[in-house]
Amino acid sequence: MAEILVVVEQTDGTIKKVTLELLTLAQSLGSPSAVWLGSGYTDAAGSSLAEYGADKIYVSDSSELNDFVVAPKAETLAAIMADAAPAAVLIASTAEGKEIAGRLAIKANSGVITDAVAVSADLIATQSVFGGSTIVQTTVTTGTPIITVRPNSTTPVAKAGAGSRVDVAATISAASRGAKVTGRTVAQKGGRPELAEAAIVVSGGRGVNGADGFGVIEALADSLGAAVGASRAATDAGWYPHQYQVGQTGKTVSPQLYIANGISGAIQHRAGMQTSKTVIVVNKDPEAPIFELADYGVVGDLFAVVPQLTDEIEKRKA
Amino acid sequence: MKIAVCVKQVPDTWAEKKLRDDDSTLDREAADGVMNELDEYAVEEALRLAEANGGEVVVVTMGPERAAETVRKALSMGADAGVHLVDDSLHGSDALATSYALAEVLAARNFDLVIFGSESTDARMSVVPAMVAERLGLPQVTFAQKVDVDGSKVAIQRQTEYGYDDVEAELPAVVSVVEKINEPRYPSFKGIMAAKKKPVETLTVADAGLDAAKLGATAAWTKVASFAARPPKAAGTVVTDEGDGGAKIATYLTEQKFV
Ligand SMILES: Cc1cc2nc3c(=O)[nH]c(=O)nc-3n(C[C@H](O)[C@H](O)[C@H](O)COP(=O)(O)OP(=O)(O)OC[C@H]3O[C@@H](n4cnc5c(N)ncnc54)[C@H](O)[C@@H]3O)c2cc1C
Ligand SMILES: Nc1ncnc2c1ncn2[C@@H]1O[C@H](COP(=O)(O)O)[C@@H](O)[C@H]1O
């Protein structure tokens, strides 16, 4: 069975959930091979990858891969791809994942598809485009399909793989050393799940009316074990940090449940949350366009509705 | 300093977008064309860098005849000159082909800095800047929320999943900018009048010395097999809060097994 390369998303050695999703997808396409690019590889990480189906684990455990922007990862991945001759390469559809995919496509003379929400056994990718109004089936006609897949597109399913480790030296040419990372700033991260990966996202917009107002949003999020998101109106006003912006120029999320509070539903916001499975809306304006997406909506003041909802959830959990 | 800024004309953000039945490409006739709104930030940043460091700003676009309006808009914001690659054979080009064409046009003009938007609102791939950097073998300093040029160096803050990275590179380099970097200016009346006299070089595929076999729909490495309108979502339930709105949502969430 042909190999399916899955690029591992990890921070400091911790594997992200999207990687397990991609391995699960790869199980249905061929023999999953995980590709680890960067420092921090551990046997425990290897075991998790094998648990979700990785037959092979290519490990390029070099801190240099993180010292320069994108190019070294694309170059090392291209070398692995040339040796492995896989049937497809799967990468998480994050900003950096897409950049790696784009550069890899040129190096490997292969077509690239971004933002897939599903990939069929015959390697046809499904994309949801134009703000979710159109569903497109796309195939790669030249080279090896390179497909970036959105987080939360599949549910991880464990299936033991052989997990044999193959060490690979990083390939970093002079041209790949052009953009040097000189500093890294990690914004404060609370105990909540990561926005792009969360199964539930609770968001606040201009209606939250200030940084303090986000207290009610966070309380609801915590009652559901959810991540917190924000509209650009809220991040621009400085009420919530920019990393939590959902939308065209923020994060794309595709959770099981999205709760939009005090958000009108501008096209740029919808672009980042339209593929959410279930949408709940709280807004005092019955004409707000976000109601068009609602599975369940309440026209009302979020400062009354949201705390009551949080209390009810806490009661039901007790 | 010679700065290129790559802009794309896209269907109006608010217009309904659809694919053509004949060749499954975006129907660009169906809606008004506007400058990709994320490219306005790229134009603004180019103008600011030229104002601060001295230099010239050249706007570069690939697109149908009417994309000339978008070049004109960048000129009326203050760019000095335009390059418009226009040729029927370009229709249907994918990101790989677009990056090839742009890279060749840029390489022939020796820029110190090439600035892109972070994403086109129609294709939404966010790959063209990285691809152009790859093709030109230039440093990729993309997703910048801050750009500083100092002599022969460019330093940016690269927006990341977790915050940002500080990144440095020698010029020439390829930059893309995110929307929070600046506030794009509106063209002034004077700017609009001045734009009419600014030089725009219109190039065909042959003029630009491009290999036609690498361009257009037939050269695309991906193919839309089929497409369909998303089945309309069943209308949801919307209720007015009568003091029990939160409880009602809780009941719904329990029914749906979220709680
Ligand atoms: C280039 C560009 C990129 C952009 N990218 C993004 C992006 O990534 N993400 C994004 O979100 N936006 C983005 N935007 C901005 C977008 O166009 C909207 O301006 C923004 O989404 C509006 O945020 P909002 O819904 O919170 O605010 P508003 O549109 O002001 O809506 C506030 C809503 O809150 C309701 N409300 C007020 N008070 C209450 C209350 N007490 N209880 C209940 N409801 C209340 C109001 O009825 C209203 O519907 C972008 C814009 C541009 C030009
Ligand atoms: N046809 C084009 N002409 C000029 N610039 C383009 C074109 N297509 C894309 N770009 C640039 O590449 C960026 C990213 O586009 P994309 O990869 O399509 O999301 C845009 O913001 C533009 O700066």
Short mmCIF file of all heavy atoms in Angstrom, two decimals, chain A residues 99 103 107 109 133 135 137 139 141 180 182-185 187 232 242 248-249 267-268 271 293-299 308 316, chain B residues 13 37 119 124 134 140 142-143 158 162 164-166 168 179 221-223 225-226 228 230 233 237 239 241 243 246-247 254:
data_model
loop_
_atom_site.label_atom_id
_atom_site.label_comp_id
_atom_site.label_asym_id
_atom_site.label_seq_id
_atom_site.Cartn_x
_atom_site.Cartn_y
_atom_site.Cartn_z
N GLU A 99 1.64 27.51 3.61
CA GLU A 99 2.88 28.00 2.99
C GLU A 99 3.84 26.85 2.69
O GLU A 99 4.49 26.84 1.64
CB GLU A 99 3.55 29.03 3.92
CG GLU A 99 2.75 30.31 4.04
CD GLU A 99 3.53 31.43 4.72
OE1 GLU A 99 4.30 31.16 5.67
OE2 GLU A 99 3.38 32.58 4.29
N ARG A 103 5.14 25.80 -1.20
CA ARG A 103 6.54 25.66 -1.61
C ARG A 103 6.84 24.23 -2.03
O ARG A 103 7.56 23.99 -3.01
CB ARG A 103 7.47 26.10 -0.47
CG ARG A 103 7.30 27.57 -0.10
CD ARG A 103 8.33 28.02 0.89
NE ARG A 103 9.60 28.20 0.24
CZ ARG A 103 10.34 29.32 0.28
NH1 ARG A 103 9.90 30.36 0.96
NH2 ARG A 103 11.48 29.39 -0.34
N LYS A 107 8.49 22.53 -5.57
CA LYS A 107 9.67 21.63 -5.54
C LYS A 107 9.34 20.26 -6.11
O LYS A 107 10.18 19.63 -6.75
CB LYS A 107 10.15 21.45 -4.10
CG LYS A 107 10.79 22.69 -3.49
CD LYS A 107 11.23 22.37 -2.06
CE LYS A 107 11.62 23.60 -1.28
NZ LYS A 107 12.90 24.19 -1.74
N ASN A 109 6.84 19.49 -8.22
CA ASN A 109 6.05 19.53 -9.44
C ASN A 109 4.69 18.88 -9.26
O ASN A 109 4.29 18.01 -10.04
CB ASN A 109 6.79 18.82 -10.58
CG ASN A 109 7.90 19.68 -11.11
OD1 ASN A 109 7.72 20.88 -11.35
ND2 ASN A 109 9.07 19.09 -11.27
N SER A 133 -21.05 28.80 0.52
CA SER A 133 -22.23 28.69 -0.35
C SER A 133 -22.06 27.61 -1.41
O SER A 133 -23.03 27.12 -1.97
CB SER A 133 -22.51 30.03 -1.03
OG SER A 133 -21.47 30.32 -1.95
N ILE A 135 -19.99 23.93 -2.65
CA ILE A 135 -19.17 22.77 -2.30
C ILE A 135 -18.47 22.31 -3.57
O ILE A 135 -19.12 22.09 -4.59
CB ILE A 135 -20.06 21.61 -1.78
CG1 ILE A 135 -20.95 22.08 -0.63
CG2 ILE A 135 -19.21 20.42 -1.37
CD1 ILE A 135 -20.23 22.44 0.62
N GLN A 137 -15.59 19.73 -5.52
CA GLN A 137 -14.77 18.52 -5.50
C GLN A 137 -13.57 18.78 -6.40
O GLN A 137 -13.75 19.06 -7.58
CB GLN A 137 -15.54 17.31 -6.04
CG GLN A 137 -16.95 17.13 -5.49
CD GLN A 137 -16.94 16.63 -4.07
OE1 GLN A 137 -15.96 16.03 -3.61
NE2 GLN A 137 -18.01 16.89 -3.33
N THR A 139 -9.55 17.65 -7.80
CA THR A 139 -8.52 16.61 -7.88
C THR A 139 -7.22 17.24 -8.33
O THR A 139 -7.21 18.28 -8.97
CB THR A 139 -8.88 15.52 -8.92
OG1 THR A 139 -9.08 16.17 -10.18
CG2 THR A 139 -10.12 14.77 -8.54
N THR A 141 -4.21 16.88 -10.82
CA THR A 141 -4.03 16.19 -12.10
C THR A 141 -2.56 15.98 -12.44
O THR A 141 -2.23 15.21 -13.33
CB THR A 141 -4.69 16.99 -13.23
OG1 THR A 141 -4.22 18.34 -13.15
CG2 THR A 141 -6.20 16.99 -13.09
N LYS A 180 15.62 34.78 8.88
CA LYS A 180 16.03 34.23 10.17
C LYS A 180 15.11 34.68 11.30
O LYS A 180 14.82 35.86 11.44
CB LYS A 180 17.47 34.67 10.48
CG LYS A 180 18.00 34.10 11.77
CD LYS A 180 19.52 34.05 11.79
CE LYS A 180 20.05 33.48 13.11
NZ LYS A 180 19.36 32.27 13.59
N THR A 182 14.56 35.67 14.87
CA THR A 182 15.46 36.19 15.91
C THR A 182 14.78 36.28 17.27
O THR A 182 15.43 36.52 18.28
CB THR A 182 15.98 37.59 15.53
OG1 THR A 182 14.84 38.44 15.32
CG2 THR A 182 16.81 37.56 14.27
N GLY A 183 13.48 36.10 17.30
CA GLY A 183 12.78 36.16 18.59
C GLY A 183 11.42 35.52 18.47
O GLY A 183 10.86 35.44 17.36
N ARG A 184 10.91 35.02 19.58
CA ARG A 184 9.61 34.35 19.53
C ARG A 184 8.79 34.87 20.71
O ARG A 184 9.27 34.85 21.84
CB ARG A 184 9.86 32.84 19.66
CG ARG A 184 8.66 31.98 19.47
CD ARG A 184 9.07 30.63 18.89
NE ARG A 184 9.28 30.72 17.46
CZ ARG A 184 9.99 29.86 16.73
NH1 ARG A 184 10.60 28.87 17.30
NH2 ARG A 184 10.11 30.02 15.43
N THR A 185 7.61 35.39 20.43
CA THR A 185 6.76 35.91 21.50
C THR A 185 5.50 35.07 21.59
O THR A 185 4.73 34.99 20.64
CB THR A 185 6.40 37.39 21.22
OG1 THR A 185 7.61 38.13 21.11
CG2 THR A 185 5.55 37.96 22.34
N ALA A 187 2.03 34.62 23.18
CA ALA A 187 1.01 35.36 23.92
C ALA A 187 0.50 34.48 25.06
O ALA A 187 0.50 33.27 24.96
CB ALA A 187 -0.13 35.73 22.98
N ARG A 232 -13.52 40.84 14.92
CA ARG A 232 -12.47 41.85 14.74
C ARG A 232 -12.83 43.13 15.49
O ARG A 232 -11.94 43.83 15.99
CB ARG A 232 -12.26 42.14 13.26
CG ARG A 232 -11.16 43.16 13.03
CD ARG A 232 -10.88 43.32 11.55
NE ARG A 232 -9.97 44.42 11.33
CZ ARG A 232 -9.98 45.17 10.24
NH1 ARG A 232 -10.87 44.94 9.30
NH2 ARG A 232 -9.12 46.13 10.09
N HIS A 242 -5.58 39.61 19.81
CA HIS A 242 -5.77 39.35 18.38
C HIS A 242 -5.73 37.86 18.02
O HIS A 242 -6.40 37.43 17.07
CB HIS A 242 -4.71 40.11 17.58
CG HIS A 242 -4.87 39.93 16.11
ND1 HIS A 242 -5.74 40.68 15.36
CD2 HIS A 242 -4.31 39.05 15.26
CE1 HIS A 242 -5.68 40.28 14.11
NE2 HIS A 242 -4.82 39.29 14.02
N GLN A 248 -11.88 35.95 8.37
CA GLN A 248 -11.01 36.01 7.19
C GLN A 248 -9.56 36.28 7.57
O GLN A 248 -8.65 35.64 7.06
CB GLN A 248 -11.49 37.15 6.30
CG GLN A 248 -10.57 37.44 5.14
CD GLN A 248 -11.24 37.17 3.84
OE1 GLN A 248 -12.30 37.70 3.57
NE2 GLN A 248 -10.64 36.32 3.06
N THR A 249 -9.35 37.25 8.43
CA THR A 249 -7.99 37.62 8.78
C THR A 249 -7.64 37.16 10.19
O THR A 249 -6.66 37.61 10.76
CB THR A 249 -7.78 39.13 8.63
OG1 THR A 249 -8.83 39.80 9.31
CG2 THR A 249 -7.79 39.52 7.19
N ILE A 267 -19.49 39.46 6.57
CA ILE A 267 -18.99 38.41 5.68
C ILE A 267 -17.59 37.95 6.09
O ILE A 267 -17.27 36.77 6.03
CB ILE A 267 -19.06 38.92 4.22
CG1 ILE A 267 -19.11 37.77 3.25
CG2 ILE A 267 -17.91 39.84 3.88
CD1 ILE A 267 -19.75 38.15 1.93
N GLN A 268 -16.76 38.90 6.57
CA GLN A 268 -15.39 38.52 6.94
C GLN A 268 -15.38 37.67 8.20
O GLN A 268 -14.46 36.88 8.41
CB GLN A 268 -14.52 39.76 7.16
CG GLN A 268 -14.31 40.62 5.95
CD GLN A 268 -15.34 41.73 5.82
OE1 GLN A 268 -16.35 41.73 6.51
NE2 GLN A 268 -15.08 42.67 4.93
N ALA A 271 -16.61 34.10 7.15
CA ALA A 271 -15.60 33.36 6.40
C ALA A 271 -14.79 32.45 7.31
O ALA A 271 -14.25 31.45 6.87
CB ALA A 271 -14.65 34.33 5.68
N LEU A 293 -27.37 31.96 9.94
CA LEU A 293 -26.59 30.74 10.14
C LEU A 293 -27.04 29.95 11.35
O LEU A 293 -26.55 28.86 11.60
CB LEU A 293 -25.10 31.10 10.36
CG LEU A 293 -24.37 31.85 9.26
CD1 LEU A 293 -22.92 32.06 9.68
CD2 LEU A 293 -24.43 31.07 7.96
N ALA A 294 -27.97 30.52 12.12
CA ALA A 294 -28.26 29.94 13.43
C ALA A 294 -29.08 28.66 13.33
O ALA A 294 -30.07 28.59 12.61
CB ALA A 294 -29.01 30.96 14.28
N ASP A 295 -28.66 27.64 14.07
CA ASP A 295 -29.51 26.48 14.28
C ASP A 295 -30.49 26.81 15.39
O ASP A 295 -31.62 26.38 15.39
CB ASP A 295 -28.67 25.27 14.66
CG ASP A 295 -27.80 24.82 13.52
OD1 ASP A 295 -28.34 24.19 12.60
OD2 ASP A 295 -26.60 25.15 13.50
N TYR A 296 -29.99 27.59 16.36
CA TYR A 296 -30.86 28.05 17.43
C TYR A 296 -30.41 29.46 17.81
O TYR A 296 -29.23 29.69 18.02
CB TYR A 296 -30.77 27.11 18.65
CG TYR A 296 -31.92 27.30 19.60
CD1 TYR A 296 -33.11 26.61 19.43
CD2 TYR A 296 -31.82 28.23 20.65
CE1 TYR A 296 -34.19 26.81 20.29
CE2 TYR A 296 -32.91 28.41 21.52
CZ TYR A 296 -34.07 27.70 21.32
OH TYR A 296 -35.14 27.90 22.16
N GLY A 297 -31.35 30.39 17.83
CA GLY A 297 -30.99 31.76 18.14
C GLY A 297 -31.91 32.38 19.17
O GLY A 297 -33.08 32.01 19.25
N VAL A 298 -31.35 33.28 19.94
CA VAL A 298 -32.18 34.03 20.90
C VAL A 298 -31.98 35.51 20.64
O VAL A 298 -30.85 36.01 20.61
CB VAL A 298 -31.80 33.69 22.36
CG1 VAL A 298 -32.50 34.64 23.32
CG2 VAL A 298 -32.17 32.25 22.68
N VAL A 299 -33.09 36.22 20.40
CA VAL A 299 -33.05 37.66 20.28
C VAL A 299 -33.14 38.22 21.68
O VAL A 299 -34.16 38.07 22.36
CB VAL A 299 -34.22 38.18 19.42
CG1 VAL A 299 -34.17 39.70 19.32
CG2 VAL A 299 -34.20 37.55 18.03
N GLN A 308 -27.41 33.34 32.31
CA GLN A 308 -28.44 32.34 32.62
C GLN A 308 -28.07 30.99 31.99
O GLN A 308 -28.20 29.94 32.61
CB GLN A 308 -29.80 32.81 32.08
CG GLN A 308 -30.94 31.89 32.46
CD GLN A 308 -32.26 32.36 31.88
OE1 GLN A 308 -32.43 32.45 30.67
NE2 GLN A 308 -33.20 32.70 32.76
N ARG A 316 -27.10 21.56 35.08
CA ARG A 316 -27.32 20.28 34.39
C ARG A 316 -26.12 19.35 34.54
O ARG A 316 -26.26 18.13 34.49
CB ARG A 316 -27.62 20.51 32.91
CG ARG A 316 -29.05 20.96 32.70
CD ARG A 316 -29.27 21.54 31.32
NE ARG A 316 -30.39 22.48 31.38
CZ ARG A 316 -31.54 22.30 30.71
NH1 ARG A 316 -31.68 21.28 29.91
NH2 ARG A 316 -32.50 23.18 30.83
N THR B 13 -16.42 42.04 -2.33
CA THR B 13 -16.53 41.21 -1.12
C THR B 13 -17.97 40.81 -0.81
O THR B 13 -18.24 39.71 -0.35
CB THR B 13 -16.02 42.02 0.09
OG1 THR B 13 -14.89 42.78 -0.33
CG2 THR B 13 -15.66 41.12 1.24
N GLU B 37 -9.37 43.37 -0.77
CA GLU B 37 -9.25 44.35 0.32
C GLU B 37 -7.99 44.15 1.14
O GLU B 37 -7.46 45.11 1.70
CB GLU B 37 -10.52 44.41 1.19
CG GLU B 37 -10.90 43.13 1.86
CD GLU B 37 -12.25 43.26 2.59
OE1 GLU B 37 -12.66 44.39 2.91
OE2 GLU B 37 -12.88 42.22 2.83
N GLU B 119 -3.83 37.26 1.66
CA GLU B 119 -4.77 36.29 1.09
C GLU B 119 -5.66 37.00 0.08
O GLU B 119 -5.99 38.16 0.27
CB GLU B 119 -5.63 35.72 2.24
CG GLU B 119 -6.74 34.79 1.84
CD GLU B 119 -7.46 34.18 3.04
OE1 GLU B 119 -6.81 33.49 3.85
OE2 GLU B 119 -8.66 34.41 3.18
N ARG B 124 -8.63 32.53 -1.61
CA ARG B 124 -8.40 32.24 -0.19
C ARG B 124 -7.35 31.16 0.03
O ARG B 124 -7.50 30.31 0.90
CB ARG B 124 -9.70 31.82 0.49
CG ARG B 124 -10.72 32.92 0.57
CD ARG B 124 -11.64 32.77 1.75
NE ARG B 124 -10.91 32.89 3.00
CZ ARG B 124 -11.38 32.48 4.17
NH1 ARG B 124 -12.54 31.92 4.26
NH2 ARG B 124 -10.67 32.64 5.26
N GLU B 134 9.70 31.16 -3.11
CA GLU B 134 10.34 29.89 -3.50
C GLU B 134 10.91 29.99 -4.91
O GLU B 134 12.06 29.62 -5.16
CB GLU B 134 9.29 28.77 -3.41
CG GLU B 134 9.68 27.44 -4.05
CD GLU B 134 10.64 26.63 -3.19
OE1 GLU B 134 10.56 26.72 -1.95
OE2 GLU B 134 11.48 25.90 -3.77
N GLN B 140 11.60 34.68 2.60
CA GLN B 140 10.16 34.82 2.74
C GLN B 140 9.87 35.42 4.11
O GLN B 140 10.06 34.77 5.13
CB GLN B 140 9.51 33.44 2.62
CG GLN B 140 8.03 33.44 2.93
CD GLN B 140 7.48 32.04 3.11
OE1 GLN B 140 7.96 31.08 2.53
NE2 GLN B 140 6.44 31.93 3.93
N THR B 142 6.73 36.63 5.58
CA THR B 142 5.30 36.74 5.31
C THR B 142 4.47 36.87 6.60
O THR B 142 4.96 36.63 7.68
CB THR B 142 4.82 35.50 4.53
OG1 THR B 142 5.34 34.34 5.15
CG2 THR B 142 5.32 35.56 3.09
N PHE B 143 3.21 37.23 6.42
CA PHE B 143 2.26 37.46 7.52
C PHE B 143 2.81 38.50 8.50
O PHE B 143 2.77 38.32 9.70
CB PHE B 143 1.91 36.15 8.24
CG PHE B 143 1.04 35.25 7.39
CD1 PHE B 143 1.60 34.20 6.69
CD2 PHE B 143 -0.31 35.50 7.27
CE1 PHE B 143 0.81 33.40 5.87
CE2 PHE B 143 -1.11 34.70 6.46
CZ PHE B 143 -0.54 33.65 5.76
N ARG B 158 6.28 38.49 12.44
CA ARG B 158 5.46 37.53 11.70
C ARG B 158 4.37 36.98 12.61
O ARG B 158 4.66 36.36 13.63
CB ARG B 158 6.35 36.39 11.20
CG ARG B 158 5.62 35.19 10.64
CD ARG B 158 6.62 34.19 10.08
NE ARG B 158 6.08 32.87 9.84
CZ ARG B 158 5.44 32.50 8.71
NH1 ARG B 158 5.26 33.37 7.75
NH2 ARG B 158 5.02 31.27 8.57
N TYR B 162 0.68 31.31 17.80
CA TYR B 162 0.84 31.50 19.24
C TYR B 162 1.15 32.94 19.63
O TYR B 162 1.22 33.26 20.81
CB TYR B 162 1.97 30.59 19.76
CG TYR B 162 3.20 30.59 18.88
CD1 TYR B 162 4.13 31.63 18.93
CD2 TYR B 162 3.39 29.58 17.95
CE1 TYR B 162 5.22 31.64 18.10
CE2 TYR B 162 4.50 29.58 17.10
CZ TYR B 162 5.41 30.62 17.19
OH TYR B 162 6.49 30.64 16.34
N TYR B 164 3.75 36.03 17.93
CA TYR B 164 4.50 36.44 16.73
C TYR B 164 5.97 36.09 16.87
O TYR B 164 6.48 35.89 17.97
CB TYR B 164 4.33 37.93 16.44
CG TYR B 164 4.93 38.87 17.48
CD1 TYR B 164 6.27 39.25 17.40
CD2 TYR B 164 4.16 39.38 18.51
CE1 TYR B 164 6.82 40.10 18.35
CE2 TYR B 164 4.70 40.24 19.46
CZ TYR B 164 6.03 40.59 19.38
OH TYR B 164 6.58 41.42 20.31
N ASP B 165 6.62 35.98 15.70
CA ASP B 165 8.07 35.79 15.62
C ASP B 165 8.70 37.07 15.10
O ASP B 165 8.13 37.73 14.23
CB ASP B 165 8.43 34.67 14.63
CG ASP B 165 8.15 33.28 15.17
OD1 ASP B 165 7.88 33.16 16.39
OD2 ASP B 165 8.20 32.32 14.38
N ASP B 166 9.87 37.42 15.62
CA ASP B 166 10.67 38.47 14.99
C ASP B 166 11.51 37.80 13.91
O ASP B 166 12.14 36.78 14.17
CB ASP B 166 11.59 39.13 16.01
CG ASP B 166 10.79 39.91 17.05
OD1 ASP B 166 10.12 40.86 16.65
OD2 ASP B 166 10.84 39.53 18.23
N GLU B 168 14.26 38.47 10.49
CA GLU B 168 15.13 39.40 9.76
C GLU B 168 15.61 38.79 8.46
O GLU B 168 15.84 37.58 8.40
CB GLU B 168 16.38 39.70 10.60
CG GLU B 168 16.18 40.81 11.60
CD GLU B 168 17.44 41.05 12.41
OE1 GLU B 168 18.54 40.69 11.93
OE2 GLU B 168 17.31 41.59 13.51
N GLU B 179 -3.86 42.36 8.01
CA GLU B 179 -4.70 43.56 7.98
C GLU B 179 -4.48 44.49 9.16
O GLU B 179 -4.78 45.67 9.07
CB GLU B 179 -6.15 43.15 7.77
CG GLU B 179 -7.15 43.45 8.85
CD GLU B 179 -7.05 42.56 10.07
OE1 GLU B 179 -6.25 41.59 10.07
OE2 GLU B 179 -7.75 42.83 11.06
N TRP B 221 -2.65 22.32 -12.43
CA TRP B 221 -2.32 21.01 -11.87
C TRP B 221 -3.41 20.48 -10.95
O TRP B 221 -3.28 19.43 -10.36
CB TRP B 221 -0.99 21.10 -11.11
CG TRP B 221 0.17 21.29 -12.04
CD1 TRP B 221 0.14 21.32 -13.41
CD2 TRP B 221 1.54 21.47 -11.68
NE1 TRP B 221 1.41 21.52 -13.91
CE2 TRP B 221 2.28 21.62 -12.87
CE3 TRP B 221 2.21 21.53 -10.44
CZ2 TRP B 221 3.66 21.81 -12.87
CZ3 TRP B 221 3.58 21.73 -10.44
CH2 TRP B 221 4.30 21.86 -11.64
N THR B 222 -4.46 21.28 -10.81
CA THR B 222 -5.63 20.80 -10.08
C THR B 222 -6.83 21.03 -10.98
O THR B 222 -6.80 21.88 -11.88
CB THR B 222 -5.85 21.57 -8.76
OG1 THR B 222 -5.89 22.97 -9.06
CG2 THR B 222 -4.74 21.30 -7.76
N LYS B 223 -7.88 20.29 -10.73
CA LYS B 223 -9.05 20.40 -11.58
C LYS B 223 -10.30 20.26 -10.72
O LYS B 223 -10.37 19.38 -9.86
CB LYS B 223 -9.01 19.26 -12.60
CG LYS B 223 -10.05 19.34 -13.69
CD LYS B 223 -9.71 18.31 -14.78
CE LYS B 223 -10.69 18.35 -15.92
NZ LYS B 223 -12.01 17.85 -15.59
N ALA B 225 -13.57 18.82 -10.24
CA ALA B 225 -14.27 17.69 -10.84
C ALA B 225 -15.76 17.98 -10.90
O ALA B 225 -16.44 17.65 -11.86
CB ALA B 225 -14.01 16.42 -10.03
N SER B 226 -16.28 18.61 -9.86
CA SER B 226 -17.70 18.97 -9.84
C SER B 226 -17.92 20.00 -8.75
O SER B 226 -17.08 20.16 -7.86
CB SER B 226 -18.55 17.74 -9.56
OG SER B 226 -18.29 17.26 -8.26
N ALA B 228 -21.33 22.17 -6.51
CA ALA B 228 -22.77 22.30 -6.30
C ALA B 228 -23.02 23.34 -5.24
O ALA B 228 -22.17 23.56 -4.37
CB ALA B 228 -23.35 20.96 -5.85
N ARG B 230 -24.32 24.62 -1.87
CA ARG B 230 -24.50 23.89 -0.62
C ARG B 230 -25.98 23.71 -0.38
O ARG B 230 -26.75 24.65 -0.53
CB ARG B 230 -23.89 24.70 0.53
CG ARG B 230 -23.52 23.82 1.70
CD ARG B 230 -24.13 24.13 3.02
NE ARG B 230 -23.69 25.34 3.69
CZ ARG B 230 -22.71 25.36 4.60
NH1 ARG B 230 -21.97 24.31 4.84
NH2 ARG B 230 -22.48 26.47 5.24
N LYS B 233 -29.38 25.23 4.30
CA LYS B 233 -29.43 24.77 5.69
C LYS B 233 -30.87 24.89 6.17
O LYS B 233 -31.53 25.89 5.89
CB LYS B 233 -28.51 25.72 6.48
CG LYS B 233 -28.20 25.25 7.86
CD LYS B 233 -27.10 26.12 8.46
CE LYS B 233 -27.00 25.76 9.93
NZ LYS B 233 -25.78 26.19 10.56
N THR B 237 -34.23 27.67 14.58
CA THR B 237 -35.27 28.22 15.45
C THR B 237 -34.75 29.50 16.06
O THR B 237 -33.65 29.52 16.58
CB THR B 237 -35.57 27.22 16.60
OG1 THR B 237 -35.78 25.95 16.01
CG2 THR B 237 -36.76 27.65 17.42
N VAL B 239 -35.90 32.43 18.81
CA VAL B 239 -36.92 32.86 19.79
C VAL B 239 -36.51 34.20 20.39
O VAL B 239 -35.34 34.58 20.35
CB VAL B 239 -37.08 31.82 20.92
CG1 VAL B 239 -37.52 30.47 20.37
CG2 VAL B 239 -35.78 31.68 21.71
N ASP B 241 -36.08 36.50 23.69
CA ASP B 241 -35.86 36.27 25.12
C ASP B 241 -37.00 36.85 25.94
O ASP B 241 -37.34 38.02 25.81
CB ASP B 241 -34.54 36.91 25.55
CG ASP B 241 -34.25 36.68 27.03
OD1 ASP B 241 -34.64 35.61 27.53
OD2 ASP B 241 -33.62 37.56 27.65
N GLY B 243 -36.97 36.30 29.33
CA GLY B 243 -36.46 35.97 30.66
C GLY B 243 -36.01 34.53 30.78
O GLY B 243 -35.46 34.13 31.80
N GLY B 246 -31.70 31.99 28.08
CA GLY B 246 -30.53 31.17 28.41
C GLY B 246 -30.94 29.74 28.69
O GLY B 246 -30.31 28.79 28.22
N ALA B 247 -32.05 29.58 29.42
CA ALA B 247 -32.53 28.23 29.76
C ALA B 247 -32.94 27.49 28.50
O ALA B 247 -32.69 26.29 28.36
CB ALA B 247 -33.70 28.33 30.72
N THR B 254 -28.78 20.44 25.48
CA THR B 254 -28.93 19.12 26.10
C THR B 254 -29.51 18.15 25.08
O THR B 254 -29.02 17.03 24.94
CB THR B 254 -29.84 19.22 27.34
OG1 THR B 254 -29.34 20.26 28.17
CG2 THR B 254 -29.86 17.92 28.12
#
